[in-house]
Amino acid sequence: MSRIEQFQYDNRIVRAFGVAAFVFGLVGMLVGLILAIQLIFPAMNLSQYGIPYTTFGRLRPLHTNAVIFAFVGNGIFMGVYYSLQRLLKARMFSDTLSWIHFWGWQVIILAAAVSLPMGITTSSEYAELAWPIDLLITLIWVVFGINMFGTIIKRRENHLYVAIWFYIATWITVAVLHIVRSFELPYSMFGSYPLFSGVQDALVQWWYGHNAVAFFLTTPYLGMMYYFLPKAANRPVYSYKLSIIHFWALIFIYIWAGPHHLLYSSMPDWVQSLGTVFSIMLIAPSWGGMLNGLLTLRGAWDRVRQDPVLKFMVVAVTAYGMATFEGPMLSIKSVNAISHFTDWTIAHVHVGALGWNGFLTFGVLYWLWPRMYRTQLFSIKLANMHFWLGTLGIIFYAIPLYYAGWAQSLMWKEFTPEGILAWPNFLETVNQIIPMYAMRIIGGTLFFVGTILGVYNLVKTAAQGSFLSNEAAEAPAREGRIAKVAGEYWHKWIEQRPIQMLLLSAVLISIGGIAQIIPMVFIDNQVPKISTVKPYTPLELAGRDIYIREGCVGCHSQMVRPFRSETERYGEYSKSGEYIYDRPFLWGSKRTGPDLMREGTGNQNAKSDRWHYDHMIDPRTMSPGSIMPQYPHLADDELDLSLLPAKISALRTLGTPYAHGYEARAIAEAQAQARTVAGRLTEQGVKDTNMENKEIVALIAYLQRLGTDIHVNQNNQK
Amino acid sequence: MKFAKYIFTFLLLGLAATMWGQAAEPAAAAASEDQFSQIMVYILAIGGALLFIVAMIYVIKVNQFLYKRVLDLEAAKSGAKLPAEALAALAAQDSFWTTLRKKYWEDPVPLDKEEDILFHHDFDGIRELDNRLPPWWVNMFIITIIWAVGYMYYYHWGGDGPSSLEEYTTEMEQAKKEQAIALAGAANAVDESNATALTDGAALGEGELIYKNSCAVCHGPSGEGTVGPNMTDEYWIHGGGIKNVFKTIKYGVPDKGMVAWQKTLSPSDILKVGSYILTLQGTNPPNPKAPQGSIWKEEAAAASPDTTAIPPK
C-alpha cells in the first residue's frame, strides 16, 4: 500500500466560476427578454432615437453569446473545476493558471459585450467575435487545457472516470472547431474576412455551429451529469458499459450532423444527406446519456419528490432527451422543409438551453453552494418555487413558439386554387403569430423570475455559511499503471492513458469534418461556376459590411430554397455558384422578415431606391405593421470608405478576382457609384441632401445588387 | 371456457381494428394535400401501427391470464396437486413473454441484487454498475444505422430517390396542372391582350380594397403618387388604358422597383385593381406628384405600343 498523501481541493475557483455563471445567466436571459419584447414592440429597439446599439440585429448575437459562452461556459468551468479535482484526487495543476483562465474568460465576455452592440461582428452564428477576441479565446482555451491535463498527469487515481472522458473530448473538439472556424484574414483592427466563401463557408459554419451545441452545450454537461447526478442521488451509475458505448458513438457521430442546418439549401445533396443520416443515428448515442442519468435514479425516485437538486436534474435530463429526439426529427428533409427558418427552431434550442443547460446548472449550483459554504440550503421552499417557475417558463416559452413555427410555415406554403400564394404579403404571416410572441414573453419572464429567486437563495445560503476555500483531502499516491486483471473490460486500458484517449478522441472527431469539408473545398465541380456572377463593387462591399454590422442576417435569410412556395414568393431558387464571392456567407437561419436573396433590381420583388430609403428610415411607412427596427442613423452617419483598399486587398488574397492595383481606384469608384444612387434617390423625390456621403446609399447599392447576377444574360439578350 | 377465450380475443381484436381504422381514415383523406398532410399521414400511420401492436400484445396477455385461470380452476376441480419441485421449477422459469422482454426490451438487474454487479472501485464515492445495455436501446441504434445505409442507397448509391431539384421540378409540374384546371373559369381567362375595364360597383369596390392593401404605400392613398408615380393625371410612363395598366401590374417594372404582381394577384384581381386605378383619372387629390411619362390618348394605343414592361421569357 502506498503512502497516503494530504492535499487540498481549490474551492475558490469553483465559486468564482459559479458566481460568474449565474450573473451572466441573468444578463443573458435579460437580453433575451428584451429581444422578445422588441419583436412585438419595435419601438423598444430605441434606434428611432438615433441609438444604433440596441437594435434586435445587434443584441441577438449578444444574447446567444451570453447564454452559450458566459452562462453555460462559466457553468462548465465551475463543474469541471469541482469534479475534476475530486475525481482525480488532486488539486488543480496550477492556481495561477486557474485564475488566468477565470479572468481571461471574463475579459472575453466583456469584450463580446462591448463589441457586439458596437456592430463588430463576423456574423457567423456563435462565432461572431472579432479576430483579436478569437485569438484571446484560443489562448485561454490552451491555458484551460494545460491546467486540465496538468491535473490529469499529477492525479492520484489510476483510471479516468467517464466524466473526464467527456471533458477531454470537449477540450480537443472545441479547440479544433474554434481554430478552423477562425481561419480569417484581418483587414483592420477588428475586421476580417473568412478563408472560405459561400457554400464552403456555410458548411464550415454549420460544422462549427452544430458542434458548438454538441461539444460546448452537450458533452461537458454530460460529464457534469455523470458526476453530480450520482452524487446528489447517492446511487451507483446504472451501466458502465452504456457510458463507454454512448460516449464514443456520440463524439464520432455528432461531428457529421452539421449539414442538417443546410437542408434544401444550395449545398450539394450528398452533404445534406450525410447530415440527415448521421442525425438519425445520433438518437441512440444521445439517449444513452439520458438513460444512464435517469436509470441511475432507480431506487431514488422517492427522493426526487423532496430534493430540489434532483428535481432540477431530472427535468434537465428529460429536456435533453426530448431535444435530442426532436433534433434528428428536424433533420429529416420533409420535416425540415416546414420547420427551417421558423420559430420552431427557436423553441427547439430553448428546450435545450433552458431545460438541459439551465436546469442542470441550477441543480449543480443548489448542490454545490451548501457544501462549499458548509451549511444547509437557505430555503428548500424557494428552490421548489424556482423549479416550478422555471418549468412553467419553459412550457410557456416553447409551446407558443412551436405553434408559431407551424402556423407561419403553413401560411408561407399555402396556395389558392388559382395557384397564387394565399398569403403573398410576408407581413400577414408575421402579424398572425404576434400573440404567440407575446405569450413567449410570459414564459421567458417566468423563467427569469425563477432565476432571480435562485440567485437570492444562493446568496442567502452563502451568507448563513462560512466558505471553505481549501478543502482538505487525502489519498494514496499513484504508483504507475495497474496491470490488466483477467476478465476486466478492454476499456480499462485506455482509461489509464489520458494521452491516448485524447488522441483517439481527436481522430474520431476529425473524420466527419474531413469527409465533408475537404471534398467541398478541393473538388471544383462541387460548386458549378456561373460565368455572369461577378465580385461586388467597392460600394456594394461597403454596403454589405453595413448589412453585416447591423445584424440583418439575424432576421433575413439569403437562400431561396427549391420549393414552389419560395420561388413564387421570392423568385428563382438560389444556386451555389451565386455565392462564390460571399465572404462571409449570409444565408441566415431564421426568417423573421422575408428572404432577401432576390431583392435586387430586376427581380420580381425589386423595389425602387426610394422605397428602400423610406423603409430604412421607418419600415412602417412602407410596410404598415412591420416589426423591423428603424434605421435613421444610416441616413445620418457618414459613409467611411477608408478601409476599402485594405478590404479589396484582403479579398484578393483570399481569392476574389479583383485586378491588381484595384485598391487605388476603389474609393473613387465607390464615390462615383454613391453619387449615382444619390442622384436616383433625388430623382425619385427624396428631399435629403448630401446623400452620396451617407451609409444608406452603400446599403441600398448592396440590396439592389442581391441576386441579380444570374439575370445578366437575359438582359443582354433583350 | 375455451370458447369464452376466443370470443374475448375477437372482441378485443375488433376494438383494435376499429381504432386502427379511425386513425387511418383522416390520414387517407389528407394524403393528396401538402407536405404537412404527408407528415401527418406518417404520424397517424405509425401511431396506428403502434396502437395495433399494443392492442395485440394486450389481447395475448389477457388470453394467457384467462387460460391460466381456466387451468387453475380445472386443477382445483380435479383436486390434483403438482409436486413441490415441479412448482418451484415453474416459478423459476421465465414465461415466453418475460424471456422476450429481457432479450429485446430491458433487463436491469433488480435493485436487491445490485451488489452482484457493482464494480469495487469508486471515484470520489461514485460507483458503477455493470448492467447490460438496454436491449431496446441497442436495437434502436441498429435500426437507425440500417435506416441510414438504406437512405444513402436510395438517394445516392443506387436507388432512384429524387434530388432536391428533381423534387422541385415535380412539384412545379404538378402545380401547373392543378393551376390550369382552376384557372379554366372565365373570370380568370383575362390577360393583357383582352382586358376591358370593369365598371360595376362591386368589382371596383374589391379593386379599391386591393389598391389600399397593396398599392397605396407607394402610389399614395388617393393615387397622388409618392414612391411610385401619380396615377390621377393623364401622364403614363408605361402607357395608360386598361391593357397597359394590366400588363404593368402583372409583370411589374423590375428595373425601377415596380413589383410584378402576377405571383400575388390572380388575373381577375389584377383586372379589378387596374380598373379601379383608371377611375382615379382626373380626381386631383392634394399633394400630387409631378407628372411623369407622356400624355396617354386611348386612340394612340395602336400607333405606339408600350415596350417598357416586358414579360420575362
Side-chain angles (χ1 to χ4, degrees), chain A residues 157 227 231 235 264 273 284, chain B residues 114 121 124 130 137 156 167:
Chain A
E157 186 75 61
Y227 179 82
K231 275 287 207 190
R235 289 276 308 149
Y264 285 116
S273 294
Chain B
E114 228 170 53
H121 192 77
D124 194 33
D130 195 16
W137 179 84
H156 299 281
E167 278 178 39

Side-chain angles (χ1 to χ4, degrees), chain A residues 24-64:
Chain A
F24 288 122
L26 281 177
V27 173
M29 288 169 210
L30 184 63
V31 178
L33 207 47
I34 293 170
L35 292 171
I37 295 170
Q38 285 177 339
L39 280 179
I40 58 170
F41 300 115
M44 285 294 288
N45 284 283
L46 304 181
S47 52
Q48 65 275 28
Y49 306 117
I51 303 167
Y53 310 111
T54 44
T55 54
F56 185 92
R58 294 195 187 192
L59 289 187
R60 181 183 180 269
L62 185 68
H63 166 62
T64 54

Side-chain angles (χ1 to χ4, degrees), chain A residues 9 82 86-87 89 157 159-162 165 226-228 230-231 234-243 245-246 249 253 264 269-274 276-278 280-288 290-291 295 298-299 332-335 337-338 406 410 413 417-421 424-425 489 492 495 561-565 567-569 571 573 600-611 614 621-624 683-685 714-715 717-718, chain B residues 34-40 42-43 106-111 114 117-119 121-134 136-138 140-152 155-157 162-169 171-172 174-176 178-183 188 213-214 216-219 225-228 251-269 289 292 308 310 312-313:
Chain A
Y9 297 132
Y82 188 87
R86 284 154 181 87
L87 289 170
K89 294 268 173 279
E157 186 75 61
H159 293 87
L160 301 181
Y161 176 61
V162 48
W165 317 342
Y226 271 111
Y227 179 82
F228 291 101
K231 275 287 207 190
N234 198 21
R235 289 276 308 149
V237 173
Y238 176 74
S239 169
Y240 168 66
K241 212 182 284 176
L242 183 59
S243 357
I245 304 289
H246 101 88
I253 293 177
Y264 285 116
D269 274 354
W270 68 268
V271 186
Q272 299 185 26
S273 294
L274 284 178
T276 300
V277 298
F278 277 89
I280 295 294
M281 286 189 282
L282 198 52
I283 300 175
S286 300
W287 273 18
M290 172 186 73
L291 288 179
L295 293 176
R298 280 198 327 153
I332 295 172
K333 280 181 105 177
S334 49
V335 180
I338 293 175
W406 274 89
L410 295 181
K413 286 174 183 296
E418 291 90 39
I420 303 280
L421 286 165
N425 185 353
Y489 279 98
K492 292 280 179 202
E495 283 169 34
R561 295 177 292 175
F563 299 142
R564 175 184 174 218
S565 57
T567 55
E568 291 293 302
R569 183 181 296 278
Y573 64 83
T601 319
N603 286 300
Q604 67 181 42
N605 286 331
K607 323 280 195 309
S608 66
D609 298 309
R610 160 116 189 240
W611 187 92
D614 291 354
T621 57
M622 304 318 295
S623 303
E683 193 185 303
Q684 290 165 12
Q714 287 177 2
N715 291 347
Q717 276 161 15
K718 89 180 171 191
Chain B
D34 49 9
Q35 245 154 348
F36 166 67
S37 327
Q38 274 181 28
I39 288 169
M40 291 312 287
Y42 292 137
I43 292 172
E106 55 172 5
D107 183 22
V109 173
L111 286 173
E114 228 170 53
I117 54 159
L118 199 58
F119 285 100
H121 192 77
D122 77 281
F123 293 94
D124 194 33
I126 301 174
R127 295 182 71 180
E128 291 168 289
L129 293 166
D130 195 16
N131 268 306
R132 270 182 73 191
L133 301 174
W136 67 268
W137 179 84
V138 177
M140 177 171 74
F141 200 3
I142 292 169
I143 289 169
T144 59
I145 292 170
I146 293 171
W147 183 88
V149 173
Y151 186 97
M152 290 307 285
Y155 283 103
H156 299 281
W157 297 338
S163 71
S164 299
L165 296 184
E166 283 162 1
E167 278 178 39
Y168 174 65
T169 315
E171 187 190 13
M172 293 305 281
Q174 179 67 24
K176 217 174 217 171
E178 286 168 13
Q179 205 176 349
I181 297 165
L183 285 181
N188 279 313
N213 283 334
S214 302
V217 285
C218 288
H219 294 282
T226 56
V227 170
Y251 300 113
V253 189
D255 289 338
K256 291 189 177 170
M258 169 69 186
V259 170
W261 291 94
Q262 58 175 340
K263 303 283 170 88
T264 311
L265 299 175
S266 65
S268 71
D269 281 347
K289 197 175 179 185
Q292 289 165 287
T308 339
I310 290 176
K313 281 156 200 126

